[in-house]
Amino acid sequence: EDAEKRGHQVWMATARRDTADNRDIISKALGRHEDYVGLIFANLKSKLDHCDSIGLKIHIWIDDSPSAIVFGV
């Protein structure tokens, strides 16, 4: 919420496939923040390549598996 107030966008890029089950899992994890976070499914491919392909430039990446940003799963 604070990021949005300061003019930033927050995105969650996941290597997961875009399925109803995965959307439900992520929705529960985001909780009250769901309305402020954009969601991107890379479908097991590189998150970076996928974001580039949809015209989204991510300036700061925070990831528990940094290699998935570039290489996917």
Side-chain angles (χ1 to χ4, degrees), residues 35-63:
D35 292 338
Y36 304 100
V37 178
L39 183 55
I40 299 164
F41 289 91
N43 295 305
L44 306 180
K45 297 186 169 78
S46 161
K47 298 173 191 180
L48 179 62
D49 289 347
H50 183 71
C51 287
D52 284 346
S53 77
I54 61 172
L56 182 62
K57 172 72 173 158
I58 303 294
H59 296 276
I60 299 171
W61 290 90
I62 301 171
D63 203 297

Side-chain angles (χ1 to χ4, degrees), residues 23-24 26-39:
R23 283 187 174 273
D24 187 50
I26 292 169
S27 176
K28 287 177 184 171
L30 289 173
R32 67 182 181 90
H33 302 289
E34 185 176 18
D35 292 338
Y36 304 100
V37 178
L39 183 55

